[in-house]
Amino acid sequence: MNNNVILLFGGDGKIAHAIVQKYLDNNSIVVAIDKNEKSRNDEFYNNSNYHYYCTDITNIEQLLTLRDELQKKFPHIDHIISAAGAPRPIEEKGFSALTFEDIDESIKLNLSAHLYITKVFLPLLQESNSKNKSITLVASINALKDFGLPAYSAAKSGIYGFMNSMVSDLGKQHIRINTISPGTVASHEEVAAKEAFWGYTYKDMMALNRFTYPEDIADAMFALTHITKAITGQNVVVDSGQII
């Protein structure tokens, strides 16, 4: 895996932390992109294979500027991972609580931005001579079952449609595209701090009677990008059986 270059959008969250660690442990170069000016995962800065860029993925001009900068710095890009997105807190109050602005902003962040990323950075994948190239987009089980969050869920459903529409075209270019749909993901720190809450609210909902942790998402991501090289056009649900 030496010299593999991974672009990770939404690269400063709790799931992203586990993804970064997974790929660094396997000798990849990880380029993490997030809107935060400085990454909260500052322990990675001592690793020469880790690079962090502040970019708003809903801003096309910023994405184009970033592409130009990365094109000068890295000879090739092998994998694009988009783990960006989150529901707006107001969505927990139901559809009637949403303004038109809330809907637009949720769709832009949770769907449109994934298309922007693919549109802008696909040329970097196309320039790579690697025999293993992929795009992996993070969706959600909210798109598969009624867990509320209507605008967020609609956006995540759109990611499936986008992925399905790209499979054949990308396949001709030897690029795979898949989605991962996490369920409720708990960090170890969150569970330790509020074990009773997490146990009562979520653990009993899981068929495996265990939490889904960021490392579980990272393992699935790594499998899709580097192990299961014949898989494309698929959605992998990682939720410990929550959707069941």
Side-chain angles (χ1 to χ4, degrees):
M1 285 185 58
N2 288 331
N3 299 320
N4 270 245
V5 180
I6 315 294
L7 292 190
L8 173 59
F9 294 89
D12 200 32
K14 65 181 180 183
I15 293 176
H17 183 279
I19 294 173
V20 171
Q21 189 67 68
K22 182 73 176 182
Y23 284 97
L24 290 179
D25 287 347
N26 285 275
N27 301 316
S28 288
I29 296 171
V30 178
V31 181
I33 299 108
D34 208 295
K35 65 180 181 180
N36 298 324
E37 186 173 343
K38 186 178 185 297
S39 173
R40 292 167 292 186
N41 302 321
D42 55 4
E43 71 268 31
F44 295 132
Y45 280 111
N46 292 326
N47 192 315
S48 61
N49 282 340
Y50 177 74
H51 307 267
Y52 182 83
Y53 291 87
C54 173
T55 299
D56 180 356
I57 63 169
T58 67
N59 186 306
I60 297 170
E61 291 303 319
Q62 288 190 28
L63 288 174
L64 290 169
T65 299
L66 176 63
R67 183 189 65 188
D68 293 343
E69 187 171 350
L70 295 182
Q71 202 163 20
K72 296 174 183 176
K73 185 162 186 175
F74 299 98
H76 57 88
I77 300 296
D78 303 295
H79 301 279
I80 295 173
I81 297 171
S82 182
R88 298 177 65 78
I90 190 67
E91 292 196 64
E92 295 181 2
K93 297 182 179 180
F95 188 67
S96 60
L98 297 181
T99 65
F100 291 112
E101 182 181 14
D102 291 327
I103 294 171
D104 288 346
E105 290 186 3
S106 186
I107 297 296
K108 188 171 186 179
L109 173 62
N110 295 299
L111 176 58
S112 299
H114 293 267
L115 275 69
Y116 297 166
I117 288 166
T118 305
K119 178 73 172 176
V120 171
F121 293 93
L122 178 58
L124 302 189
L125 276 185
Q126 293 168 328
E127 292 171 6
S128 172
N129 293 322
S130 172
K131 295 181 179 179
N132 180 31
K133 300 183 286 186
S134 71
I135 298 171
T136 310
L137 309 175
V138 174
S140 172
I141 62 170
N142 278 68
L144 303 173
K145 193 173 181 180
D146 181 6
F147 291 106
L149 308 177
Y152 174 80
S153 300
K156 292 299 187 180
S157 297
I159 288 179
Y160 299 144
F162 174 62
M163 180 265 290
N164 287 329
S165 73
M166 295 290 288
V167 175
S168 296
D169 186 36
L170 291 177
K172 295 172 185 176
Q173 305 171 62
H174 307 290
I175 299 171
R176 297 179 295 112
I177 182 169
N178 296 289
T179 58
I180 285 181
S181 292
T184 302
V185 178
S187 71
H188 296 277
E189 293 77 14
E190 287 171 332
V191 172
K194 301 176 69 175
E195 185 174 0
F197 168 78
W198 281 92
Y200 176 78
T201 306
Y202 292 110
K203 193 174 181 179
D204 293 341
M205 295 171 59
M206 315 298 185
L208 294 179
N209 197 233
R210 54 151 288 187
F211 299 113
T212 303
Y213 289 106
E215 293 83 0
D216 298 314
I217 310 302
D219 287 345
M221 188 73 69
F222 182 80
L224 279 178
T225 59
H226 284 85
I227 299 176
T228 54
K229 298 177 184 177
I231 291 182
T232 192
Q234 301 299 313
N235 175 51
V236 177
V237 176
V238 187
D239 69 346
S240 298
Q242 184 179 359
I243 199 172
I244 305 299

